[in-house]
Amino acid sequence: MTRSSSRTLLSLAIFTALTLPALAQAQEAGAADNATPPAGQQTAIDLDTVTVTALRQSLQTAQTIKQEAAMVVDSIVAEDIGKLPDNSVADALQRVTGVQIAQGNQGETTGVVIRGLPNVISTLNGREIFSSSGRGYAFQNLPATAIKSLNVYKSSEASLPLGGIAGLVDIELRRPLDFDGLEIAGTVTGTHSKYGGDVDPSASLMLSNRWDTDAGEFGAMINVGYIGKRYAYDAVWGDFPKVLENPDGTPMRTDAGNLIAAPNGWGTNYNHGDRDRSAFNYALQWKPTENTEVYVEGLYDYVRDNYDQAFLFSFPVGVVPPSSLQVGGNCYANQLAGALQGQTICDATSGSWTGDTYAASSTQAHKQRGQDIQNALGFKWRGDQLRLSTEVTRTSGYYRDENFIIDTFMSGPITTIWDGTSGKHQNWYLAGEPAMDPSRFYLNGLFQTWGESRGEENSWRGDGVFEFLDGPIANIQFGLRYADRTASAKGSVEISTPPPGGAGTGNITATPNPANQVVGLFPANSFFCSKRGNSALSQSFLTPCYDYLIGNADELRAYYGLPAGLAEENPGRFFDIQERKSAGYLQTKYDFDLFGLRVDGLVGVRAEQIKRELNAYSFDASTGIYSAITRETKDTNTLPNASLNLHFNEEWQLRVLAAKTLSYPDFGALNPSISLNPGTVNRAGAASSGNPDLSPIESTNYDMSLEWYFSPVGYMSAGIFYRDIDGYIQNYISNVVIAGEEYELSSPQSAGSGHLQGVEFAYQQTFDFLPGAWSGLGAQFNYTYIEGDTKSPEFIGGPVISRPLQNVSKNNYNAVLFYENFGLSARLAYGYRSRYIDFFTQPTVAGTEDQVEPASSLDFSVSYDVTPRATVVLSATNLLGNNLHQFWGNGDSRPRDIRYQDKTFGLGFRFKL
């Protein structure tokens, strides 16, 4: 889509949002004309009446939660069934103040961070929930249509479970006694995506009812949801920047004597797939008396994802000298250690390389399956002063990925053209389009891998509250919790198997093995599929087809001399961890008047003991042998909290809070073994390991906010926060030699002391004071500024320095203009997140930081109530067509990736019977 058409769509969206009140006013006038009373009869008109719409009600409820909470809480509430404007819980969370999101390489939101930190704990109706062997829940697994509310707790108190120094996200699902009686509601939507190219279906259906009987009140509810998606998530990348060398090995220099840097190579990574997500939740409630309730509820969600990850790449740099080279004026001190460290280095801006260099295409054929299940049985009782509740929960999760890969390379000579970095991305192609000629392709390695992770937990909790009738102490809260959790993972060996007779002799690009020419072995029109070009890669290319690889996997294995079926298990990828947690808390709420002002808050403490048994395999690099090991640990933590809310009047209040929190290391990060993926002709070896000595991340949190609630749907708040963090876990990539072979090793390390601080501002208002239909307008705005650093090694084994925290964007904001009146509802939302460090790489000339500039998004939705129970919805996402950009180090002169974010348009129907 052209830039002009993007501007046209944006203009149309803004025009629609601004003209809806006028259209509604015209509708109102027309309705009044058609309803003219008989002569002599007068009609009373109340100009001060404001219609309480579903949107106003949801905003008011969320505002009430924020105002009455004992902590810093921001919420999204869906008063009307299925009315959240996003597909998944992960997408919906981006609307919350201080929450940032990121897309994964399969075109959906997968990363959720609160105030720059990813250490988030997730709960479902107040109880912990997780996905497979992870600590947190994959929010993208749950359709937003199932949600009653999302509550983001940014400060902690004793009754909340431990695990998130960033905060806690509670997902509240609907229950049957929420409704007055029979309720049947559903949604049906078709969504077209620019890159996926198809119209994708999504649907939901909820059935709920309640009955009054002699045995008490009963309620039953079931809800199902489905999201289908054919997606295309394209990326074009440049490999790490390196010092260019002359054929004699001396560094290449400019006329001024400066070093020259250029990418090590260029490539693409396209992820095209077909994904289905479905979810089912139920709830049964029984209230035998007004003060007693028994309930059973559960959630099941599933994902099925089949996708191909197609690559095209060329690595001519350092193999042949450039045929042409242009150097720009972006110069800096070379940060790579060695004899050239500190010398001035300038980035090349374009070039070409011709020779028998390695260029290849490859397809990774993925089959992914996953599910999360949680069931709970609970009991509640309420007396005059004492409230008691208890609950037993069973949670399990499963995830599996199978990947089958065949590499194909092109015969030489190859000319690689690098057109520079305009548009903040690498622009490159292969001259003469050899990647579209099937006869140029020869078989290289076959690589297959699979990995599986599981998690299970049985837990019990009991809670109580004793209310005091008078005095400064309002109540005492207490509770106990026990959880028995297991997390396990296993996976296959990861070795690239060469084709029969080898890929070639010497320089395989110059002398490929003729027996492995693809067109001589397989029908080219079945084996190869064509992938499109884009603004960064200005050509199409051939790569092995997903369906052919999956459908003929055993035949291809046989050709490579491998047995049928999946690869054997690798002990280096195995772990089995059992974790038992016992916790108790005691907390009091105080509430009294001080100098005529109401003061309330919480003072509490939570104590938790954790016992962990880890079973894995250690690796002896000298012998290449894995040996079984067992590690046992025990830790006890005591976490106090205190808060004070000062109410100046009904509208103004000041919050001051302090609490100690912690996050446990991910289970995979604790695995001490090493998983080895030996290098091939086109990449270095890759290795990964965990660290059983990782300690929990500890944080002492301080928050203060001033809040003004000036109307039922209108408030402003300003807050500051500070986190004193110790032991923040960060991932590092380092170059190591294992058994005589070079690897890039990825491993987690605990950093030293650090801090995170920032400010937040939030505003919400409906413009009820405007005349007529214009009273339906409203706006929301929130802004978060964050900065932080920690003391950590510059790289593993390197000096300890103070450096920024990963994932922290300094500037983050959301701006929303909405309208709802006379059956019309519209919403125009813009979300922005500034640049941040994604992870720390192996040292390069640009340093060790990998920085991301995320894609800001403008989304639009409009709906019309055809009847009080039937609504038509039109929606669009990423109207501006913004994309994600990634860089080696700071600045824009060394792009790593551009990732093309999709643009979608949806048409749906929402109904209630």
Side-chain angles (χ1 to χ4, degrees):
M1 185 171 290
T2 65
R3 185 176 302 174
S4 175
S5 62
S6 295
R7 287 198 300 265
T8 301
L9 288 169
L10 172 60
S11 300
L12 177 61
I14 296 174
F15 174 77
T16 305
L18 294 178
T19 56
L20 279 173
L23 294 173
Q25 198 165 21
Q27 180 188 16
E28 177 189 25
D33 290 342
N34 293 331
T36 303
Q41 180 176 334
Q42 296 183 350
T43 301
I45 300 176
D46 185 356
L47 297 178
D48 294 328
T49 298
V50 176
T51 303
V52 179
T53 62
L55 176 59
R56 274 185 171 83
Q57 187 64 53
S58 65
L59 296 177
Q60 182 175 342
T61 302
Q63 179 172 311
T64 301
I65 293 173
K66 178 181 179 69
Q67 184 176 6
E68 296 182 354
M71 299 169 291
V72 179
V73 181
D74 284 292
S75 303
I76 297 174
V77 176
E79 286 292 338
D80 207 1
I81 302 167
K83 201 165 184 178
L84 283 181
D86 300 284
N87 285 330
S88 72
V89 170
D91 291 327
L93 283 169
Q94 68 182 305
R95 316 297 176 191
V96 178
T97 306
V99 174
Q100 299 87 43
I101 65 169
Q103 279 198 347
N105 63 6
Q106 290 158 261
E108 65 175 350
T109 301
T110 56
V112 174
V113 298
I114 298 177
R115 292 172 169 173
L117 295 175
N119 316 91
V120 178
I121 192 170
S122 41
T123 59
L124 180 73
N125 290 341
R127 54 185 172 269
E128 288 184 74
I129 187 170
F130 54 83
S131 294
S132 64
S133 63
R135 292 284 185 188
Y137 181 62
F139 295 114
Q140 67 271 22
N141 287 354
L142 187 58
T145 51
I147 301 306
K148 178 181 180 181
S149 68
L150 295 173
N151 302 303
V152 178
Y153 294 80
K154 301 175 190 175
S155 59
S156 187
E157 47 100 337
S159 68
L160 295 179
L162 295 182
I165 64 168
L168 181 147
V169 176
D170 181 51
I171 305 167
E172 186 180 4
L173 304 181
R174 298 183 184 278
R175 288 168 168 158
L177 298 186
D178 294 340
F179 305 103
D180 294 331
L182 177 64
E183 195 75 38
I184 302 174
T187 63
V188 179
T189 303
T191 303
H192 179 269
S193 55
K194 175 183 176 181
Y195 296 124
D198 288 345
V199 175
D200 301 310
S202 62
S204 68
L205 178 65
M206 189 205 72
L207 307 175
S208 180
N209 205 354
R210 62 189 295 172
W211 303 269
D212 286 322
T213 71
D214 293 339
E217 271 192 297
F218 287 89
M221 187 207 73
I222 59 170
N223 182 77
V224 293
Y226 169 82
I227 301 175
K229 179 70 173 177
R230 292 186 64 87
Y231 59 89
Y233 191 75
D234 299 354
V236 179
W237 45 266
D239 206 24
F240 65 90
K242 63 186 295 185
V243 176
L244 299 185
E245 294 182 344
N246 295 307
D248 62 1
T250 60
M252 192 177 296
R253 296 184 182 272
T254 66
D255 293 339
N258 296 324
L259 302 171
I260 302 172
N264 184 53
W266 297 269
T268 63
N269 178 5
Y270 289 1
N271 295 280
H272 296 174
D274 187 356
R275 178 174 58 243
D276 296 304
R277 291 196 183 278
S278 55
F280 165 78
N281 64 283
Y282 72 92
L284 302 173
Q285 290 176 282
W286 173 40
K287 296 185 70 173
T289 68
E290 183 66 27
N291 297 330
T292 307
E293 179 185 340
V294 180
Y295 61 89
V296 181
E297 58 186 5
L299 169 68
Y300 298 72
D301 67 59
Y302 305 88
V303 60
R304 303 291 184 268
D305 198 349
N306 301 316
Y307 76 98
D308 66 88
Q309 197 169 13
F311 290 83
L312 174 70
F313 49 85
S314 178
F315 290 95
V317 179
V319 179
V320 297
S323 307
S324 63
L325 191 69
Q326 299 292 322
V327 181
N330 187 65
C331 303
Y332 47 93
N334 177 18
Q335 299 186 51
L336 194 61
L340 303 177
Q341 185 176 21
Q343 294 189 26
T344 300
I345 187 168
C346 300
D347 289 326
T349 58
S350 65
S352 63
W353 289 259
T354 300
D356 289 318
T357 62
Y358 190 76
S361 72
S362 173
T363 294
Q364 301 188 10
H366 288 267
K367 291 174 60 178
Q368 296 181 340
R369 304 290 184 265
Q371 68 179 31
D372 304 313
I373 300 174
Q374 184 177 86
N375 289 283
L377 169 64
F379 171 82
K380 297 178 181 179
W381 176 82
R382 182 183 185 113
D384 292 337
Q385 291 180 257
L386 180 64
R387 300 196 309 269
L388 298 173
S389 66
T390 187
E391 187 176 73
V392 291
T393 305
R394 165 75 175 175
T395 307
S396 63
Y398 163 83
Y399 185 78
R400 182 180 178 89
D401 178 31
E402 297 178 9
N403 188 6
F404 187 80
I405 307 169
I406 285 187
D407 293 333
T408 59
F409 69 95
M410 286 165 273
S411 60
I414 299 291
T415 297
T416 303
I417 306 295
W418 176 40
D419 279 341
T421 59
S422 63
K424 295 193 294 187
H425 54 72
Q426 301 288 348
N427 300 280
W428 75 283
Y429 63 94
L430 302 178
E433 298 200 356
M436 288 300 293
D437 182 356
S439 67
R440 296 283 296 269
F441 285 89
Y442 292 79
L443 292 180
N444 205 343
L446 181 152
F447 184 90
Q448 55 183 341
T449 181
W450 59 267
E452 180 180 298
S453 60
R454 293 179 179 271
E456 297 180 351
E457 182 181 83
N458 296 311
S459 65
W460 168 85
R461 67 179 175 90
D463 300 276
V465 178
F466 183 82
E467 303 280 353
F468 291 91
L469 299 179
D470 53 32
I473 303 300
N475 63 49
I476 292 179
Q477 306 165 21
F478 52 91
L480 297 172
R481 184 179 189 274
Y482 177 79
D484 188 346
R485 171 85 190 270
T486 59
S488 63
K490 58 184 179 180
S492 70
V493 296
E494 298 178 309
I495 299 175
S496 182
T497 303
T505 57
N507 184 335
I508 63 173
T509 303
T511 55
N513 184 348
N516 289 318
Q517 187 180 25
V518 172
V519 294
L521 296 170
F522 315 108
N525 59 348
S526 299
F527 184 86
F528 283 119
C529 288
S530 176
K531 296 294 184 180
R532 61 170 179 263
N534 50 48
S535 61
L537 176 71
S538 56
Q539 61 185 181
S540 300
F541 64 95
L542 298 176
T543 187
C545 293
Y546 176 91
D547 289 340
Y548 192 89
L549 295 182
I550 294 297
N552 299 276
D554 279 343
E555 290 83 351
L556 292 167
R557 291 185 181 105
Y559 180 78
Y560 277 80
L562 296 171
L566 300 176
E568 63 180 327
E569 189 171 337
N570 175 12
R573 299 178 64 187
F574 169 85
F575 68 81
D576 189 342
I577 300 175
Q578 184 173 35
E579 191 175 78
R580 296 183 176 94
K581 290 192 291 187
S582 303
Y585 72 90
L586 181 64
Q587 183 168 254
T588 184
K589 179 180 180 181
Y590 61 89
D591 191 338
F592 58 87
D593 289 338
L594 179 66
F595 304 116
L597 300 179
R598 180 188 168 204
V599 178
D600 63 30
L602 297 172
V603 177
V605 63
R606 185 181 186 94
E608 183 163 294
Q609 183 182 84
I610 183 168
K611 297 179 180 179
R612 188 180 297 133
E613 180 181 295
L614 182 150
N615 296 288
Y617 289 87
S618 66
F619 179 72
D620 188 330
S622 63
T623 62
I625 296 176
Y626 288 95
S627 302
I629 60 170
T630 297
R631 290 279 298 269
E632 294 184 0
T633 59
K634 180 180 178 180
D635 191 21
T636 301
N637 298 284
T638 302
L639 306 173
N641 66 279
S643 65
L644 180 148
N645 299 326
L646 178 62
H647 303 267
F648 299 104
N649 51 42
E650 293 296 322
E651 297 181 355
W652 286 89
Q653 64 186 40
L654 175 71
R655 298 182 191 273
V656 182
L657 307 97
K660 185 178 180 181
T661 62
L662 63 79
S663 287
Y664 295 112
D666 288 336
F667 291 106
L670 294 168
N671 183 11
S673 189
I674 295 180
S675 174
L676 301 177
N677 184 347
T680 66
V681 66
N682 60 285
R683 62 164 176 79
S688 62
S689 72
N691 182 352
D693 297 320
L694 293 173
S695 300
I697 308 171
E698 296 185 354
S699 177
T700 303
N701 302 346
Y702 305 94
D703 291 85
M704 183 169 65
S705 66
L706 180 64
E707 301 163 8
W708 176 32
Y709 299 91
F710 51 83
S711 73
V713 188
Y715 78 89
M716 295 178 66
S717 68
I720 59 175
F721 55 90
Y722 183 87
R723 306 284 183 262
D724 190 357
I725 302 171
D726 186 56
Y728 189 66
I729 298 172
Q730 304 192 128
N731 287 312
Y732 294 84
I733 296 177
S734 57
N735 296 317
V736 299
V737 177
I738 300 175
E741 186 166 349
E742 294 184 353
Y743 289 89
E744 292 180 354
L745 173 65
S746 174
S747 59
Q749 299 291 321
S750 292
S753 60
H755 79 281
L756 182 142
Q757 62 189 12
V759 298
E760 282 184 347
F761 171 79
Y763 159 77
Q764 171 179 288
Q765 185 174 12
T766 53
F767 303 139
D768 303 333
F769 53 85
L770 293 175
W774 292 98
S775 63
L777 278 172
Q780 294 174 299
F781 178 79
N782 61 69
Y783 170 78
T784 307
Y785 175 84
I786 313 170
E787 64 176 21
D789 59 46
T790 186
K791 292 179 180 179
S792 60
E794 185 176 11
F795 50 89
I796 294 180
V800 175
I801 61 174
S802 181
R803 65 190 313 165
L805 289 169
Q806 290 176 249
N807 300 303
V808 174
S809 294
K810 286 191 173 182
N811 296 287
N812 312 268
Y813 67 83
N814 292 289
V816 181
L817 177 66
F818 61 85
Y819 178 85
E820 189 166 58
N821 218 343
F822 308 107
L824 286 168
S825 179
R827 180 177 176 276
L828 186 66
Y830 182 77
Y832 173 81
R833 180 184 181 188
S834 65
R835 192 159 166 158
Y836 63 92
I837 297 173
D838 190 33
F839 60 92
F840 297 106
T841 70
Q842 72 276 22
T844 72
V845 298
T848 58
E849 293 179 0
D850 186 289
Q851 298 188 5
V852 165
E853 182 181 293
S856 302
S857 182
L858 180 69
D859 303 333
F860 177 70
S861 64
V862 59
S863 66
Y864 178 70
D865 294 336
V866 181
T867 72
R869 288 184 167 267
T871 303
V872 177
V873 182
L874 175 67
S875 62
T877 65
N878 195 21
L879 282 169
L880 300 178
N882 289 334
N883 299 308
L884 180 146
H885 298 268
Q886 195 165 4
F887 302 90
W888 297 96
N890 55 15
D892 296 341
S893 63
R894 295 172 299 274
R896 175 169 180 152
D897 296 355
I898 177 175
R899 304 180 198 174
Y900 290 89
Q901 314 290 296
D902 220 334
K903 181 186 299 185
T904 68
F905 298 91
L907 180 63
F909 178 67
R910 188 168 62 241
F911 65 90
K912 292 191 292 184
L913 301 179

PDB file of all heavy atoms in Angstrom, residues 101-112:
ATOM      1  N   ILE A 101       3.957  -3.354  25.030  1.00  0.00           N
ATOM      2  CA  ILE A 101       3.863  -4.661  24.390  1.00  0.00           C
ATOM      3  C   ILE A 101       4.871  -4.750  23.251  1.00  0.00           C
ATOM      4  O   ILE A 101       5.429  -3.745  22.809  1.00  0.00           O
ATOM      5  CB  ILE A 101       2.443  -4.933  23.845  1.00  0.00           C
ATOM      6  CG1 ILE A 101       2.100  -3.944  22.719  1.00  0.00           C
ATOM      7  CG2 ILE A 101       1.417  -4.873  24.959  1.00  0.00           C
ATOM      8  CD1 ILE A 101       0.844  -4.302  21.968  1.00  0.00           C
ATOM      9  N   ALA A 102       5.112  -5.968  22.780  1.00  0.00           N
ATOM     10  CA  ALA A 102       5.986  -6.194  21.630  1.00  0.00           C
ATOM     11  C   ALA A 102       5.463  -7.386  20.856  1.00  0.00           C
ATOM     12  O   ALA A 102       4.892  -8.320  21.430  1.00  0.00           O
ATOM     13  CB  ALA A 102       7.432  -6.433  22.074  1.00  0.00           C
ATOM     14  N   GLN A 103       5.657  -7.344  19.533  1.00  0.00           N
ATOM     15  CA  GLN A 103       5.239  -8.455  18.694  1.00  0.00           C
ATOM     16  C   GLN A 103       6.355  -9.477  18.571  1.00  0.00           C
ATOM     17  O   GLN A 103       7.527  -9.137  18.534  1.00  0.00           O
ATOM     18  CB  GLN A 103       4.848  -7.972  17.294  1.00  0.00           C
ATOM     19  CG  GLN A 103       3.461  -7.399  17.195  1.00  0.00           C
ATOM     20  CD  GLN A 103       2.960  -7.334  15.767  1.00  0.00           C
ATOM     21  OE1 GLN A 103       3.713  -7.497  14.818  1.00  0.00           O
ATOM     22  NE2 GLN A 103       1.674  -7.077  15.600  1.00  0.00           N
ATOM     23  N   GLY A 104       5.961 -10.749  18.503  1.00  0.00           N
ATOM     24  CA  GLY A 104       6.902 -11.810  18.219  1.00  0.00           C
ATOM     25  C   GLY A 104       7.049 -12.006  16.728  1.00  0.00           C
ATOM     26  O   GLY A 104       6.436 -11.288  15.913  1.00  0.00           O
ATOM     27  N   ASN A 105       7.854 -12.999  16.328  1.00  0.00           N
ATOM     28  CA  ASN A 105       8.122 -13.168  14.900  1.00  0.00           C
ATOM     29  C   ASN A 105       7.015 -13.900  14.166  1.00  0.00           C
ATOM     30  O   ASN A 105       7.185 -14.249  12.997  1.00  0.00           O
ATOM     31  CB  ASN A 105       9.466 -13.896  14.689  1.00  0.00           C
ATOM     32  CG  ASN A 105       9.468 -15.304  15.258  1.00  0.00           C
ATOM     33  OD1 ASN A 105       8.448 -15.813  15.718  1.00  0.00           O
ATOM     34  ND2 ASN A 105      10.628 -15.936  15.233  1.00  0.00           N
ATOM     35  N   GLN A 106       5.869 -14.137  14.823  1.00  0.00           N
ATOM     36  CA  GLN A 106       4.733 -14.750  14.159  1.00  0.00           C
ATOM     37  C   GLN A 106       3.546 -13.796  14.095  1.00  0.00           C
ATOM     38  O   GLN A 106       2.396 -14.218  13.984  1.00  0.00           O
ATOM     39  CB  GLN A 106       4.366 -16.066  14.843  1.00  0.00           C
ATOM     40  CG  GLN A 106       5.411 -17.155  14.613  1.00  0.00           C
ATOM     41  CD  GLN A 106       5.352 -18.241  15.664  1.00  0.00           C
ATOM     42  OE1 GLN A 106       6.121 -18.255  16.611  1.00  0.00           O
ATOM     43  NE2 GLN A 106       4.418 -19.164  15.507  1.00  0.00           N
ATOM     44  N   GLY A 107       3.854 -12.498  14.159  1.00  0.00           N
ATOM     45  CA  GLY A 107       2.856 -11.501  13.856  1.00  0.00           C
ATOM     46  C   GLY A 107       1.779 -11.301  14.900  1.00  0.00           C
ATOM     47  O   GLY A 107       0.671 -10.880  14.567  1.00  0.00           O
ATOM     48  N   GLU A 108       2.070 -11.556  16.176  1.00  0.00           N
ATOM     49  CA  GLU A 108       1.092 -11.296  17.221  1.00  0.00           C
ATOM     50  C   GLU A 108       1.818 -10.815  18.470  1.00  0.00           C
ATOM     51  O   GLU A 108       3.023 -11.022  18.627  1.00  0.00           O
ATOM     52  CB  GLU A 108       0.262 -12.541  17.536  1.00  0.00           C
ATOM     53  CG  GLU A 108       1.049 -13.681  18.132  1.00  0.00           C
ATOM     54  CD  GLU A 108       0.169 -14.853  18.534  1.00  0.00           C
ATOM     55  OE1 GLU A 108      -1.066 -14.710  18.519  1.00  0.00           O
ATOM     56  OE2 GLU A 108       0.717 -15.910  18.860  1.00  0.00           O
ATOM     57  N   THR A 109       1.071 -10.169  19.336  1.00  0.00           N
ATOM     58  CA  THR A 109       1.652  -9.655  20.568  1.00  0.00           C
ATOM     59  C   THR A 109       2.022 -10.812  21.482  1.00  0.00           C
ATOM     60  O   THR A 109       1.184 -11.639  21.824  1.00  0.00           O
ATOM     61  CB  THR A 109       0.653  -8.733  21.280  1.00  0.00           C
ATOM     62  OG1 THR A 109       0.322  -7.650  20.408  1.00  0.00           O
ATOM     63  CG2 THR A 109       1.244  -8.186  22.558  1.00  0.00           C
ATOM     64  N   THR A 110       3.310 -10.872  21.864  1.00  0.00           N
ATOM     65  CA  THR A 110       3.776 -11.945  22.737  1.00  0.00           C
ATOM     66  C   THR A 110       4.485 -11.411  23.977  1.00  0.00           C
ATOM     67  O   THR A 110       4.625 -12.137  24.958  1.00  0.00           O
ATOM     68  CB  THR A 110       4.751 -12.873  21.992  1.00  0.00           C
ATOM     69  OG1 THR A 110       5.831 -12.093  21.471  1.00  0.00           O
ATOM     70  CG2 THR A 110       4.051 -13.579  20.839  1.00  0.00           C
ATOM     71  N   GLY A 111       4.957 -10.182  23.949  1.00  0.00           N
ATOM     72  CA  GLY A 111       5.684  -9.639  25.079  1.00  0.00           C
ATOM     73  C   GLY A 111       4.891  -8.547  25.775  1.00  0.00           C
ATOM     74  O   GLY A 111       4.416  -7.613  25.131  1.00  0.00           O
ATOM     75  N   VAL A 112       4.708  -8.666  27.074  1.00  0.00           N
ATOM     76  CA  VAL A 112       4.019  -7.659  27.878  1.00  0.00           C
ATOM     77  C   VAL A 112       4.937  -7.272  29.030  1.00  0.00           C
ATOM     78  O   VAL A 112       5.386  -8.130  29.791  1.00  0.00           O
ATOM     79  CB  VAL A 112       2.681  -8.184  28.419  1.00  0.00           C
ATOM     80  CG1 VAL A 112       2.056  -7.169  29.361  1.00  0.00           C
ATOM     81  CG2 VAL A 112       1.730  -8.506  27.277  1.00  0.00           C
TER      82      VAL A 112
END
